[in-house]
Amino acid sequence: MNAAGTLSITADRLLGRLRALGQIGRDSEGRLTRLAASEADKAGRDAVAGWMEAAGLEVVVDRIGNLFGLWRGGEAGLAPVMVGSHIDTVIDAGILDGCYGVLAGLEAVETLRDAGIVPPRSVVVAAFTNEEGVRYAPDMMGSLVYAGGLPVETALASVGTDGTVLGEELARIGYAGAQAPGFLTPHAYVELHIEQGPVLEREGLRIGAVENLQGISWQRVTIEGIANHAGTTPMAMRRDAGLAAARVVTFLRDRVARGNAPTVATVGCMSFAPNAINVIPSRAVFTVDLRDPDEARLREEEQALASWLKHLEAEEGVTISVERLARFAPVAFDQGIVGMVERAVSRRGLSARRMTSGAGHDAQMMARICPTAMIFVPSIDGISHNPRECTAEADLVAGANVLLDTLGQLSAASARC
């Protein structure tokens, strides 16, 4: 209890587990990499499942490998409240992304149990499979399958960047469960996460009440030109795939910079062939990541890119093809839960603002099947997907306490979103 009589989480337990999980999956150079369905992922799952069992939760795994800790409520027939995130990581990761939401959810449940509270609604702590999408595509796979957006058979047949098959790897590590994805339809889903951006820290705020999430458009662009000698081919006579690719990058940057909208555009991967210093590139392959919280604007940016590529194709004498990799519409979160988060923040005497998530999260998929919202805490210097990812311990505890309060309300029989 705090001075006002409100329940508070056990900070040392939460922070200790974050540090412990953050040591699982480190290589000989100390880099943390826990890719989906890898040996490191198995070790992380084993640790989390062990903590769930120790807390008195029933551990359940579904066919796509999603890991759940179920705390049964006092009234049968009421839909459960779900909290969670993921524990898989990018390559050379920090210790908080995803893991914080899972372990803070577990901590909130333990705090309620320790206080002798048995809520009418059951509570489920979820660790979704392959949120990052580093080894298998698409990202947010486990929650997407759970929400019915991707057939489980299709997901299990996914071939990884290392040639492995996801279903076979889940079986190998012992996390190919028997339950059908979506076996429980939640009353509500809440995800606590580090912001992974600079807004809260820049504004000196402790909590973000996330009210919506940007739409995401991923495409792979291939430009075919003609390889030729770098020294003997005049500039005006080249069909330079590399130059054309560079023009796409600058087009995107200039277009977004001229606009008065929160649109962001990123070329994150690029490769040339034959990739020789003295040969004009005959091929350029690169990705384009477009994001905007407004569907109409996102479609407008996609169309602008498509028009520019047609223009570029004619002007540079190249051939351009585009492959759609992923497309997720913007998500508006449940206003009732967002307001509940704000009231919890106010009762705790914390500072907050409503905000948009620029990153994709499992909550994006869960919003398809139940009322959903997110809670953010600041990221120091806005850094994530990086070993320097860090959030002040006081902020980690504050966010977990806001999650605790929100979970307590949602799991009450009278709670309505």
Side-chain angles (χ1 to χ4, degrees):
M1 292 279 188
N2 62 19
T6 304
L7 285 176
S8 293
I9 62 105
T10 302
D12 289 345
R13 184 167 57 191
L14 172 61
L15 298 173
R17 285 175 178 166
L18 281 168
R19 288 189 290 266
L21 186 55
Q23 293 305 308
I24 296 174
R26 294 195 179 271
D27 63 17
S28 59
E29 297 179 10
R31 296 175 300 187
L32 174 59
T33 302
R34 204 165 49 238
L35 304 185
S38 64
E39 283 297 325
D41 188 28
K42 170 181 168 51
R45 288 165 173 268
D46 289 348
V48 172
W51 291 326
M52 288 176 171
E53 290 177 344
L57 278 61
E58 176 185 344
V59 175
V60 180
V61 180
D62 70 10
R63 289 185 60 205
I64 195 60
N66 294 324
L67 171 65
F68 303 99
L70 173 60
W71 179 31
R72 296 198 179 274
E75 295 185 24
L78 292 177
V81 177
M82 187 178 288
V83 295
S85 191
H86 65 97
I87 68 165
D88 65 307
T89 75
V90 298
I91 297 169
D92 198 15
I95 71 169
L96 299 175
D97 179 2
C99 303
Y100 173 50
V102 175
L103 296 180
L106 176 58
E107 177 59 37
V109 168
E110 285 188 274
T111 300
L112 294 171
R113 284 177 58 90
D114 290 348
I117 295 171
V118 179
R121 294 187 185 275
S122 296
V123 177
V124 182
V125 180
F128 290 108
T129 295
N130 191 44
E131 192 273 351
E132 295 292 2
V134 175
R135 192 181 184 196
Y136 303 97
D139 57 347
M140 297 172 282
M141 180 188 283
S143 53
L144 178 61
V145 171
Y146 194 88
L150 180 68
V152 64
E153 292 80 8
T154 302
L156 291 173
S158 297
V159 178
T161 55
D162 54 0
T164 58
V165 177
L166 175 58
E168 295 173 1
E169 288 293 275
L170 286 171
R172 182 183 63 83
I173 67 170
Y175 281 91
Q179 285 285 357
F183 68 99
L184 293 173
T185 300
H187 169 66
Y189 174 81
V190 183
E191 183 168 350
L192 174 62
H193 210 282
I194 59 171
E195 181 192 349
Q196 300 181 283
V199 175
L200 290 174
E201 185 190 41
R202 182 183 63 205
E203 298 185 6
L205 300 173
R206 303 288 301 280
I207 300 291
V210 185
E211 61 180 349
N212 58 7
L213 191 148
Q214 293 197 108
I216 302 175
S217 170
W218 282 2
Q219 301 173 70
R220 180 184 292 119
V221 180
T222 300
I223 302 180
E224 301 282 357
I226 297 177
N228 216 329
H229 197 291
T232 62
T233 309
M235 297 297 289
M237 298 177 66
R238 299 181 179 207
R239 295 184 179 181
D240 187 341
L243 173 62
R247 291 189 64 186
V248 176
V249 177
T250 56
F251 164 79
L252 291 168
R253 179 67 176 89
D254 292 346
R255 179 176 172 82
V256 170
R258 288 194 304 268
N260 187 28
T263 312
V264 292
T266 305
V267 173
C269 303
M270 183 178 288
S271 63
F272 292 157
N275 199 36
I277 191 171
N278 59 349
V279 181
I280 298 165
S282 61
R283 173 181 289 184
V285 181
F286 57 94
T287 57
V288 176
D289 179 323
L290 295 171
R291 305 192 188 205
D292 195 286
D294 181 83
E295 175 66 18
R297 279 199 307 264
L298 184 59
R299 289 185 181 277
E300 182 180 344
E301 295 307 314
E302 290 174 315
Q303 183 56 51
L305 174 61
S307 298
W308 171 253
L309 292 177
K310 288 182 180 179
H311 166 78
L312 187 66
E313 191 173 43
E315 188 167 274
E316 294 292 341
V318 295
T319 301
I320 301 177
S321 59
V322 178
E323 176 189 1
R324 170 75 69 191
L325 299 178
R327 179 58 158 82
F328 299 118
V331 173
F333 288 136
D334 183 84
Q335 290 298 300
I337 304 178
V338 175
M340 200 175 290
V341 170
E342 290 179 314
R343 291 189 292 275
V345 168
S346 178
R347 287 192 297 270
R348 296 269 176 184
L350 302 169
S351 55
R353 60 164 286 175
R354 291 196 174 202
M355 62 191 306
T356 296
S357 171
H361 297 285
D362 291 311
Q364 175 177 349
M365 304 307 168
M366 296 303 293
R368 299 180 179 203
I369 60 172
C370 68
T372 298
M374 294 189 71
I375 304 166
F376 276 175
V377 294
S379 295
I380 295 175
D381 294 329
I383 293 173
S384 185
H385 284 186
N386 185 304
R388 293 192 295 121
E389 173 183 275
C390 186
T391 294
E393 291 186 353
D395 289 334
L396 294 173
V397 172
N401 279 326
V402 171
L403 177 65
L404 168 65
D405 294 349
T406 306
L407 175 60
Q409 281 199 273
L410 286 170
S411 59
S414 60
R416 293 294 181 264
C417 300

